[in-house]
Amino acid sequence: MSKGNVLVSLTASREKGEIVYRVDCSSDLSKEEFEYYLTEIIKGVCEWNEPVCEETMRSFNGKIKPKKK
């Protein structure tokens, strides 16, 4: 997959001791297209791992806590 073909990407990475996420989208996408693709990505994750998307989850933050060892 070349970078020029990416419509929407989600990345989790380590920066300065924290785990952060980033969402990027093509400048060619309308707001509606971006929302659609992001919704479809989330839907796919929820089908893949249902407990991640339980109805009780309602808030999201930009930082991810380090995984406990």
Side-chain angles (χ1 to χ4, degrees):
M1 176 169 57
S2 73
K3 192 170 185 171
N5 292 332
V6 175
L7 296 176
V8 177
S9 70
L10 304 170
T11 307
S13 61
R14 288 185 182 90
E15 293 180 14
K16 300 178 183 176
E18 294 181 321
I19 299 174
V20 297
Y21 70 84
R22 178 177 170 152
V23 179
D24 293 301
C25 75
S26 169
S27 60
D28 297 352
L29 292 181
S30 68
K31 180 180 176 184
E32 292 79 18
E33 288 173 312
F34 173 69
E35 290 175 356
Y36 172 76
Y37 290 132
L38 195 55
T39 298
E40 289 296 305
I41 291 168
I42 293 168
K43 179 180 171 186
V45 169
C46 291
E47 289 174 2
W48 169 66
N49 190 347
E50 289 181 32
V52 170
C53 302
E54 292 177 358
E55 288 191 30
T56 57
M57 292 186 67
R58 295 289 181 210
S59 63
F60 301 90
N61 293 318
K63 295 180 183 175
I64 301 171
K65 295 178 184 177
K67 183 177 179 181
K68 294 181 181 179
K69 293 181 182 180

